Amino acid sequence: MARAIWTGVITFGLVSVPVGLYTAVGDHTVHFHQLQRGSADRVRNRRVNERTGEEVAAEDTLKGFEVAEGEYVVVERDELNEIAPGRSQTIDISDFVDLGDVEPVYFDRTYYIAPRGKEYTKVYELLRAALAEAGKAGIATFVMRGKQYLTALRAEDKLLVLQTLHWADEVRDPGQELPELLSGRAGKGKERDMAIQLIDALGAPWDPARYRDTYQEKVRELVRAKAEGEEIAVAEEAPQATNVVDLMALLQGSLDQAQGSREEESTAPQQKRTATKKAPPKAARASASGRGRGGGKSELRQLTKTDLYQRATEQGIAGRSKMSRDELVEALARAGHRRVKSAA
């Protein structure tokens, strides 16, 4: 069981409940060590005196704020501790706000909150249930590891969740940061209507398990392939910018594709049940096998270049690493056609 990274009390009014704070999110990023090119020697970061080039121990460093070039105001750690709020033991809720009023840009990290003992569960559940019923979030500040945080405390089904928020002066004004902002409503009526239809066609209930970090998967596959001396898949090309002249045609094509995908998903279970009742003739099985391995052009053109390359690798197609996306489609289609003829 995980250990609390912070312990203290939540207070609202005169009521308080002892709690512990637990990390809610883990990192699945593939981490690399730095090596010197041409060797297996690790490269490490060290504190080095910029003038002498000599390494400096952590206890021999202090903080300096540059007020002019080469001129610093030096601050000792003890001086920072004296003016800081210290290690706070309290998450003091000062306001209750509608959670929907907090703009997404303010949210930062998420933590789970649990009571620090069975004797505190009644008060804990009282706060959780009250927040859930009211549809509110408790706004509070607290200090952890020498830093003060603005937070939103909200209710989930069986627990309280604390989300750290950015301070107001940390959130940048898009009007000052972005080179272009829309001055009015964009898009014509028909284009806007078709875009709404496309959004509806691609609508789905929120299910985070449906989504995967495919980039990290490809990084792991790259490491595995290099370790085993295999060919490395070619990266997928970035899509071209949409030409506004072709916008209606592209929207219609996207809508047709989305609706076709939904129809295939809805009929797939029925097709599977039908397939189990009666096996296809030998020739049909051979044809289906050919499409699965090589595939018809219409099917292949719906795949990404990475997927096409993977199929080409499975088929042992020579020269695949130098092929464009269209060339991979042609090669796979020819391979599928040859397999169908040989099976027949």
Side-chain angles (χ1 to χ4, degrees), residues 130-329:
L131 285 174
E133 181 72 21
K136 300 283 187 178
I139 303 300
T141 59
F142 84 115
V143 173
M144 179 173 64
R145 296 171 181 167
K147 182 177 179 180
Q148 188 172 34
Y149 293 91
L150 179 67
T151 68
L153 190 71
R154 61 181 180 82
E156 288 286 354
D157 188 28
K158 295 181 179 179
L159 75 158
L160 289 169
V161 171
L162 181 140
Q163 291 183 281
T164 59
L165 305 175
H166 295 291
W167 300 94
D169 62 350
E170 293 179 323
V171 177
R172 296 179 176 180
D173 180 358
Q176 297 179 3
E177 299 297 325
L178 305 184
E180 296 290 340
L181 279 179
L182 297 177
S183 57
R185 300 183 68 181
K188 298 178 182 178
K190 290 183 179 180
E191 294 170 347
R192 192 161 54 244
D193 291 343
M194 192 166 291
I196 293 172
Q197 290 180 49
L198 177 58
I199 291 171
D200 289 339
L202 294 173
W206 165 241
D207 178 11
R210 290 182 59 201
Y211 309 98
R212 308 190 327 270
D213 187 344
T214 56
Y215 177 74
Q216 291 302 318
E217 291 176 0
K218 291 185 186 302
V219 171
R220 291 187 177 90
E221 176 60 22
L222 168 65
V223 173
R224 185 203 63 77
K226 294 198 68 152
E228 297 179 7
E230 296 180 2
E231 286 192 62
I232 301 169
V234 180
E236 184 179 349
E237 297 174 358
Q240 297 288 330
T242 297
N243 188 330
V244 292
V245 176
D246 304 326
L247 183 55
M248 278 297 292
L250 291 171
L251 284 169
Q252 184 62 60
S254 301
L255 184 58
D256 293 342
Q257 187 179 54
Q259 291 173 339
S261 298
R262 290 301 163 89
E263 289 175 3
E264 288 179 6
E265 289 176 6
S266 62
T267 57
Q270 179 63 36
Q271 290 174 344
K272 186 176 181 180
R273 287 194 296 271
T274 303
T276 59
K277 293 179 181 178
K278 184 177 180 181
K282 182 177 180 181
R285 288 199 300 272
S287 177
S289 175
R291 286 196 301 270
R293 292 178 176 273
K297 290 184 181 180
S298 59
E299 174 202 346
L300 292 168
R301 287 196 178 99
Q302 296 179 16
L303 301 178
T304 65
K305 186 174 182 180
T306 302
D307 292 334
L308 291 168
Y309 183 87
Q310 185 174 351
R311 285 201 182 190
T313 302
E314 293 171 357
Q315 296 300 309
I317 294 175
R320 57 188 175 275
S321 62
K322 297 180 180 179
M323 290 183 182
S324 66
R325 187 176 183 280
D326 290 338
E327 288 170 338
L328 285 169
V329 169

